[in-house]
């Protein structure tokens, strides 16, 4: 190779390599960043979710973005099976520890993944406490994948123009909030 060309070619190769590595690292971090920050549903509201959904033995209760696992754990305590999905590994570790402490670890499945990619067809109850645009993004999957009769509950945020079957006012952390219930038909 022409020596005059060697230095620029090497510099270009290093730049491409570093660009690729930093791009890959960036992509990895972005892919795992939660879409919404963590805020737990207050315990008094958790009880209301369980009663509003009528959670009972035989139910499979998904919390998509499960935080510390409190909804899935409450469902397991009510005799159902819980599925705790969170993209944040810290939250999944916390959920496992909380389920173990509550003696229901065997009744809860833990899934560290993006909620938008997790199969949900076996759910009989789906709970979300996310964000309005995330609910809208999730809506087609709820409609297409869930069986008729599956209950969907959202804390605080609506599902756009889906009319809820029931709306319940609850005392949230920062004042009065709503729980919305829909049934897939
Ligand atoms: C507002 S918190 C609700 C926590 C829990 N559901 C509760 O009600 O106590 C939202 C949770 O969603 C998780 N999350 C955000 N984006 C996610 C995604 N794309 N896939 C899975 N979990 C996600 C966050 O890590 C956080 O734990």
């Amino acid at each position: 190779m022409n020596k005059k060309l060697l230095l620029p070619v090497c510099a270009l190769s290093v730049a491409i390599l570093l660009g690729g590595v930093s791009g890959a690292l960036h992509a990895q971090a972005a892919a795992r960043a939660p879409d919404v920050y963590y805020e737990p549903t207050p315990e008094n509201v958790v009880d209301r979710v369980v009663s509003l959904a009528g959670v009972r033995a035989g139910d499979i209760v998904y919390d998509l973005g499960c935080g510390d696992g409190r909804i899935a754990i409450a469902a397991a305590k009510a005799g159902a099976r819980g599925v705790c999905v969170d993209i944040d590994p810290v939250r999944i570790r916390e959920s496992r520890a909380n389920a173990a402490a509550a003696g229901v670890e065997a009744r809860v499945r833990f899934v560290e993944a993006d909620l938008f990619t997790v199969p949900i067809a076996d759910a009989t109850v789906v709970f979300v406490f996310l964000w309005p645009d995330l609910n809208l993004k999730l809506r087609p999957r709820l409609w297409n994948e869930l069986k008729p009769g599956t209950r969907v509950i959202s804390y605080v945020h609506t599902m756009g123009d889906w009319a809820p079957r029931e709306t319940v006012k609850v005392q949230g952390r920062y004042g009065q909030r709503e729980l919305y219930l829909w049934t897939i038909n």
Side-chain angles (χ1 to χ4, degrees), residues 33-42 46 63-71 85-88 91 113-116 127-130 134 155:
D35 292 312
V36 62
Y37 61 86
Y38 173 54
E39 181 191 328
T41 295
V46 174
D63 184 356
L64 298 176
C66 62
D68 68 359
R70 57 186 61 203
I71 297 284
V85 178
D86 209 291
I87 200 166
D88 186 340
R91 299 276 91 87
D114 182 347
L115 67 93
F116 291 104
F127 173 80
V128 286
F129 174 23
L130 294 170
L134 298 176
Y155 179 45

